[in-house]
Amino acid sequence: VSQMFGELVAVRLYDMWDVAGRPAAPVLAEIGPGRGTLMRDMVRTLDRLAPGLARSARFELVETSPRLREVQKATLAASLPDFRWHETVATLPDGPLFIVGNELFDAVPVRQFVKTPGGWRERVVALDEAGRLRFAAGFAGIDPALLPPGSATAPEGAVFETAPAREALMDGIAARIAASGGGALFFDYGHLEPGIGDTLQALRRHEYDDPLAHPGEADLTSHVDFAALAKVARGHGLKVSLHEQGQWLLDMGLLARAGSLGHGKGEAEQEAIRDAVERLAGPEQMGRLFKVMEAAAG
């Protein structure tokens, strides 16, 4: 959306590194780096804010897609440090880890359970009489202890989502930070408390699509349960805080940075900066829907 986002993320990473005692040769990583623009903006900012840190840190990217790795290499070609790529967090080098993930967990699969007259049953994909894909209730149930408040009175057809794969990913990251020190910053759209609701959605050619209409041709996502991720991190002794993205960015100085960035610019550029601020922090856009999770070693 804007370079301001990456700049403020870099400032917060610097803060976390400073609070941690400024450990030598930290590992600064991004997981799910997309096109590499966030990492580029973070590196540029750190090079101005703390040149010593930028030159001593080890910059790592966790990316499973060979195609995206090539895009990231092109984006980062002119950046200062050497970058290394990894398939998983497990192969990151030893040392204090400061890791960022932007729109990471929403792309990790969820399981859905639907309320039926016979109780909660796992939602599965079946075929209708015409051979088309449809959702159906399977035979597998769910431990009632995993259901959120309100599940007992939820109407028939209500959906509850759980994400063991997301929690497993968070578990690995949290275990690493607990063992070696460091911190994590995660940004995603989701909710701060568990609840009932179907948030599975598909995007195809930049438009919303039926999740079953074009299998393999659309991006499937769902909202992130940050309370569940926070519980995993706290289980490893990490200090966790949860925020709405808009307020987090405002607290980090988004408006001051926007003013500085727009100073002396033409009206068109200033308007673009204002639009970026509104998209990032506005309550009707990303400001409330997107959440921020900070986790750090105690």
Side-chain angles (χ1 to χ4, degrees):
V1 176
S2 167
Q3 70 181 69
M4 294 182 289
F5 179 76
E7 291 168 349
L8 295 177
V9 171
V11 170
R12 187 68 185 114
L13 277 183
Y14 171 83
D15 288 341
M16 297 174 82
W17 172 75
D18 186 48
V19 169
R22 301 193 170 204
V27 178
L28 300 187
E30 183 181 0
I31 180 169
R35 301 184 63 84
T37 52
L38 175 57
M39 176 62 82
R40 182 190 62 196
D41 291 341
M42 289 193 299
V43 168
R44 186 189 67 252
T45 304
L46 289 173
D47 189 39
R48 297 181 63 184
L49 178 66
L53 171 60
R55 286 165 174 75
S56 66
R58 292 162 290 169
F59 289 88
E60 316 286 335
L61 298 96
V62 181
E63 176 59 68
T64 60
S65 167
R67 180 184 65 83
L68 282 176
R69 284 191 182 197
E70 293 307 311
V71 173
Q72 293 154 16
K73 289 176 182 178
T75 300
L76 297 169
S79 294
L80 169 71
D82 292 327
F83 297 93
R84 293 188 297 181
W85 276 259
H86 303 263
E87 290 277 340
T88 70
V89 172
T91 62
L92 290 172
D94 293 337
L97 172 64
F98 296 87
I99 188 168
V100 174
N102 183 39
E103 294 190 59
L104 165 71
F105 287 104
D106 69 271
V108 179
V110 295
R111 296 174 68 185
Q112 291 189 326
F113 293 83
V114 60
K115 184 78 171 288
T116 74
W120 290 90
R121 296 291 180 265
E122 184 155 24
R123 202 180 191 196
V124 298
V125 177
L127 295 174
D128 64 16
E129 294 180 354
R132 294 170 300 199
L133 297 177
R134 67 176 179 87
F135 287 116
F139 295 104
I142 184 173
D143 182 347
L146 299 177
L147 294 169
S151 59
T153 57
E156 186 176 328
V159 172
F160 168 64
E161 297 173 341
T162 182
R166 292 175 180 171
E167 293 174 27
L169 177 57
M170 187 70 244
D171 186 69
I173 294 171
R176 164 61 193 271
I177 293 173
S180 62
L185 278 174
F186 294 113
F187 303 82
D188 227 314
Y189 53 90
H191 41 272
L192 299 179
E193 297 293 340
I196 302 296
D198 178 8
T199 71
L200 179 67
Q201 57 187 315
L203 287 171
R204 181 172 180 261
R205 299 175 181 173
H206 306 289
E207 295 183 355
Y208 287 105
D209 196 21
D210 183 324
L212 299 183
H214 300 93
E217 299 178 13
D219 290 327
L220 300 180
T221 67
S222 65
H223 288 200
V224 176
D225 181 354
F226 278 93
L229 298 183
K231 182 179 180 180
V232 172
R234 290 183 178 122
H236 287 276
L238 302 189
K239 297 178 181 177
V240 178
S241 61
L242 300 171
H243 316 265
E244 290 184 345
Q245 178 175 289
Q247 191 59 54
W248 186 89
L249 288 170
L250 292 173
D251 290 344
M252 286 297 302
L254 176 64
L255 296 182
R257 178 55 183 146
S260 174
L261 198 60
H263 181 71
K265 299 292 197 305
E267 180 58 33
E269 290 177 282
Q270 291 186 11
E271 181 64 26
I273 293 170
R274 287 193 291 269
D275 288 346
V277 169
E278 180 61 28
R279 185 175 175 192
L280 284 167
E284 301 303 318
Q285 298 200 45
M286 299 170 71
R288 298 196 67 182
L289 177 61
F290 274 67
K291 309 301 190 297
V292 184
M293 175 176 165
E294 296 187 1

